[in-house]
Structures are given as structure tokens and as C-alpha cells.
């Protein structure tokens, strides 16, 4: 991960509290990269909840977000990409193995 990507993630997490109380969608995809990313070859999951709190767990280096009966973690050590493709929309890519990746798309339905 580059220093620029790391800085963007820190800024995102330092400001996530503005989304507390907002409907939150997490789309998670697991995929094995062969040549090019192909969404049809990815296993997708969708969760929706109202964001209640967030935290960073130092032991284990995890970014955590929580809703009622919903808990989601992103491993900070293995993030290889982070971007903001739209307003109130963010994407993380983690690399879990040589060719195993998880993409997490977070969309906040912000009132503004």
C-alpha cells in the first residue's frame, strides 16, 4: 500500500462518524484473480444496516464498523487498494493470498 492510499484510509476513518445513523450498504466480493477481474466470477454478499459505531482494533490491525446485529471488519495490513468512486461510496481491496482477494464496497445513504 502506498503512503497516499494509507493517508486516504486514515482520513476516511477519522471522518466516518459523520455517517453514524445512516443506512449503510456493504457489498463484499471474494475472487481469485486469474488474468483480469471479472465480476461474474466473483462470489458476492450484500448487507444493509444503520451505522452505529466504528473503531480500529490495534491487536490484529482491523478497521471495524458496526450496526445493530451487524459487525464488519477489514484487515488493515492486507489492504492493497482504496478509492472513493462516488459521493459517500468507498472501496477497499484486501489480498488474502497469492491470488485471493476481497473487495468491499461501502455506500452510505447520507442525508446531505
Amino acid at each position: 500500500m502506498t503512503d497516499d492510499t494509507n493517508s486516504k484510509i486514515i482520513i476516511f476513518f477519522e471522518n466516518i462518524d459523520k455517517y453514524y445513523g445512516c443506512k449503510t450498504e456493504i457489498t463484499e466480493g471474494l475472487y481469485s484473480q486469474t488474468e483480469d477481474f471479472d465480476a461474474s466470477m466473483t462470489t458476492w454478499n450484500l448487507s444493509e444496516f444503520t451505522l452505529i459505531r466504528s473503531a480500529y482494533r490495534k491487536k490484529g490491525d482491523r478497521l471495524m464498523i458496526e450496526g445493530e446485529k451487524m459487525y464488519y471488519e477489514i484487515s488493515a495490513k492486507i489492504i492493497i487498494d482504496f478509492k472513493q468512486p462516488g459521493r459517500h461510496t468507498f472501496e477497499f481491496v484486501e489480498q488474502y493470498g497469492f491470488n485471493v482477494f476481497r473487495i468491499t464496497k461501502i455506500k452510505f445513504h447520507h442525508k446531505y
Side-chain angles (χ1 to χ4, degrees):
M1 180 173 27
T2 66
D3 287 342
D4 183 51
T5 300
N6 189 52
S7 295
K8 288 177 183 177
I9 292 168
I10 290 169
I11 290 168
F12 163 76
F13 221 71
E14 285 178 342
N15 293 293
I16 196 172
D17 61 339
K18 71 181 176 183
Y19 297 115
Y20 288 4
C22 293
K23 178 182 172 189
T24 303
E25 291 179 18
I26 294 181
T27 306
E28 169 191 64
L30 296 172
Y31 64 98
S32 177
Q33 185 176 8
T34 51
E35 292 177 17
D36 292 322
F37 173 74
D38 183 352
S40 65
M41 301 299 289
T42 302
T43 302
W44 293 101
N45 298 297
L46 172 66
S47 301
E48 295 181 346
F49 58 94
T50 299
L51 183 63
I52 296 172
R53 69 180 65 94
S54 62
Y56 182 80
R57 180 164 44 96
K58 286 185 180 185
K59 188 170 184 178
D61 293 315
R62 300 292 193 260
L63 304 169
M64 304 177 302
I65 58 176
E66 186 176 349
E68 186 175 327
K69 296 185 180 183
M70 177 61 189
Y71 189 78
Y72 196 84
E73 292 188 339
I74 297 170
S75 179
K77 280 190 170 184
I78 59 174
I79 294 172
I80 60 167
D81 193 24
F82 172 78
K83 56 188 162 198
Q84 184 176 358
R87 191 169 185 206
H88 312 300
T89 305
F90 305 87
E91 290 184 10
F92 294 84
V93 177
E94 300 161 273
Q95 185 171 6
Y96 279 89
F98 176 71
N99 66 345
V100 179
F101 302 86
R102 178 172 80 163
I103 183 169
T104 302
K105 300 178 182 189
I106 303 172
K107 182 176 183 178
F108 299 104
H109 294 269
H110 197 257
K111 50 193 164 226
Y112 303 108

